[in-house]
Amino acid sequence: MSENAPIDIEVILSPTSKINQVDFESITFGSTFSDHMLQCDFRNGSWEKPIIKPYEPFLIDPSAKVFHYGQAIFEGLKAYRDTHDKLWLFRPDQNYERFNKSAIRMAMPEVPREIFLDGLKELLKIDQQWAKGGVGNSLYIRPFMIAIGSGVIAAPSTQYRFMILLSPARSYYSGSVKVIVSEYYSRAANGGIGAAKAAANYGAQFYPTKLANEKGYQQIIWTDDATHGFMEESGTMNVFFRVNDTLLTAPATERILDGVTRKSIIQLATDNGMKIEVRPVAVAEIIAAAKTGELKEIFGAGTAAVINPIVGFGYRDDYYELPEQTDSFALKLKSQIIDIQYKNAEDPYNWTVEVPLT
């Protein structure tokens, strides 16, 4: 399949819809899925014809390499319905490009643009009624790829399955978030897969996060693997620190995911005239700023919550509560991003992409 070929998709529509069984006012994030899904398999060195079909389980060989060697990657983005009943994606090209960077790092085949992006738009057109209007409502999109080739020899698979699922979502709010700065566990290491959205990155976080939860913290601020002296990410999100009126965030490296929301925040902050420094952020300087009162805000940035303010953090035997801000950078930037996503403000960056619904 060539990169510029028009997409040819087989469509099998569900005879009934389960949408009337869903309480859209009390949806748990990522637990409810729309009527259809996209599936496309890679076999014999090429991608087969994609198919949109009813959402359903599928059979897979017990020796499939995804189970034994962890070849699995994913992305996360959202579709938003504006006040004119149009449906929009937010910077989907960035998710597409990052997906294929992850594929390359995991020795998996790259997915053609027309399967990922055009296939996604066709799926959204079919299940468009699952995207509810109103700020806070969205349709979460989960593209992923797994190795389905059989055999337990330690080698890359020769067969893969790419899929896209749709999940209606409401405003993501996890309450007051307290984090603990890690002194031992790291999210990723130099030479590893930290810059890829590989399933293994997230599975490895569960145990140290469980330990943090037992201490009363919701998330961990991960530190570098070599010295544990530099802040890297918070939970599954990129992290920003406001010291006085300067925003600090770590650069995207082979250990740190190049988040779409992160890049958007950096652009908006710069255009707002905020001082922002993209550089290694030392644990020691954040502790010192917290002690002097110069540390004003910490917030995570990611697709699910957009921006998630952090109210305090623990380090060693101390806890540092952050002061409430009347001029919160986090809330200002979050509001600007949301306004662009829902088309309630101008989009000078051309970040939004309309989904044809007819």
Side-chain angles (χ1 to χ4, degrees):
M1 180 179 293
S2 69
E3 183 69 16
N4 297 316
I7 187 156
D8 180 19
I9 303 178
E10 180 182 356
V11 177
I12 301 174
L13 296 178
S14 174
T16 59
S17 174
K18 57 181 181 286
I19 194 169
N20 292 329
Q21 303 170 22
V22 177
D23 180 2
F24 283 87
E25 298 300 317
S26 58
I27 288 176
T28 300
F29 182 81
S31 63
T32 300
F33 297 93
S34 70
D35 292 320
H36 299 90
M37 60 187 186
L38 181 143
Q39 178 178 311
C40 189
D41 288 352
F42 181 90
R43 302 176 192 273
N44 301 315
S46 63
W47 287 98
E48 298 178 346
K49 184 177 180 178
I51 179 173
I52 292 175
K53 60 182 184 178
Y55 183 96
E56 61 186 1
F58 57 85
L59 294 175
I60 190 170
D61 195 292
S63 70
K65 298 215 173 189
V66 64
F67 299 136
H68 303 273
Y69 302 110
Q71 277 187 293
I73 61 173
F74 68 95
E75 270 297 329
L77 63 159
K78 288 181 177 180
Y80 307 86
R81 191 178 293 279
D82 69 11
T83 56
H84 301 288
D85 212 28
K86 295 181 178 180
L87 200 59
W88 299 86
L89 297 169
F90 183 73
R91 308 190 75 176
D93 57 312
Q94 298 294 307
N95 296 97
Y96 165 70
E97 292 173 8
R98 190 174 62 185
F99 188 87
N100 278 337
K101 288 179 181 178
S102 297
I104 291 169
R105 181 60 183 85
M106 297 299 291
M108 304 170 83
E110 296 179 63
V111 176
R113 185 180 187 89
E114 66 269 17
I115 293 177
F116 189 107
L117 293 177
D118 296 344
L120 169 58
K121 290 176 184 177
E122 186 65 23
L123 178 62
L124 287 168
K125 183 171 73 173
I126 291 171
D127 275 355
Q128 59 182 278
Q129 72 273 20
W130 288 81
K132 300 302 182 181
V135 173
N137 294 317
S138 62
L139 193 56
Y140 181 76
I141 301 163
R142 172 51 63 90
F144 69 98
M145 179 164 53
I146 59 173
I148 60 172
S150 60
V152 295
I153 184 172
S157 178
T158 59
Q159 299 178 22
Y160 297 88
R161 178 161 294 167
F162 170 72
M163 302 188 71
I164 302 178
L165 311 179
L166 305 178
S167 177
R170 288 184 53 81
S171 293
Y172 187 91
Y173 179 70
S174 54
S176 296
V177 176
K178 298 180 180 180
V179 300
I180 187 169
V181 177
S182 176
E183 296 182 77
Y184 178 74
Y185 293 102
S186 293
R187 177 184 172 275
N190 284 332
I193 57 173
K197 280 190 77 74
N201 282 337
Y202 297 80
Q205 295 183 28
F206 295 157
Y207 175 68
T209 301
K210 174 178 177 290
L211 297 180
N213 294 161
E214 291 171 353
K215 294 181 179 180
Y217 298 96
Q218 286 73 48
Q219 295 176 4
I220 296 173
I221 290 186
W222 307 102
T223 51
D224 69 289
D225 65 299
T227 69
H228 296 288
F230 293 91
M231 308 282 203
E232 298 207 325
E233 293 192 14
S234 177
T236 60
M237 309 175 80
N238 296 117
V239 64
F240 289 77
F241 305 86
R242 176 186 170 190
V243 178
N244 290 323
D245 285 334
T246 300
L247 279 177
L248 308 175
T249 193
T253 65
E254 60 183 337
R255 299 189 310 273
I256 298 175
L257 193 71
D258 190 11
V260 178
T261 307
R262 169 189 175 275
K263 287 188 283 193
S264 304
I265 289 171
I266 292 171
Q267 181 71 63
L268 288 172
T270 301
D271 292 350
N272 282 331
M274 298 175 182
K275 185 177 180 182
I276 184 163
E277 297 178 5
V278 180
R279 60 168 176 80
V281 180
V283 174
E285 70 175 306
I286 297 303
I287 298 298
K291 290 180 177 178
T292 61
E294 295 175 292
L295 180 64
K296 306 300 184 183
E297 295 182 87
I298 303 176
F299 57 89
T303 297
V306 182
I307 287 177
N308 196 1
I310 291 168
V311 300
F313 69 96
Y315 181 65
R316 295 182 176 170
D317 296 325
D318 296 314
Y319 177 75
Y320 301 89
E321 189 82 21
L322 296 178
E324 289 190 19
Q325 299 296 320
T326 57
D327 63 338
S328 169
F329 283 15
L331 296 182
K332 180 178 181 179
L333 291 165
K334 181 174 184 176
S335 177
Q336 289 181 333
I337 291 176
I338 289 174
D339 281 346
I340 291 174
Q341 290 172 333
Y342 287 91
K343 305 299 287 185
N344 291 327
E346 291 296 319
D347 175 16
Y349 312 102
N350 293 318
W351 284 343
T352 51
V353 176
E354 185 175 359
V355 179
L357 297 181
T358 57

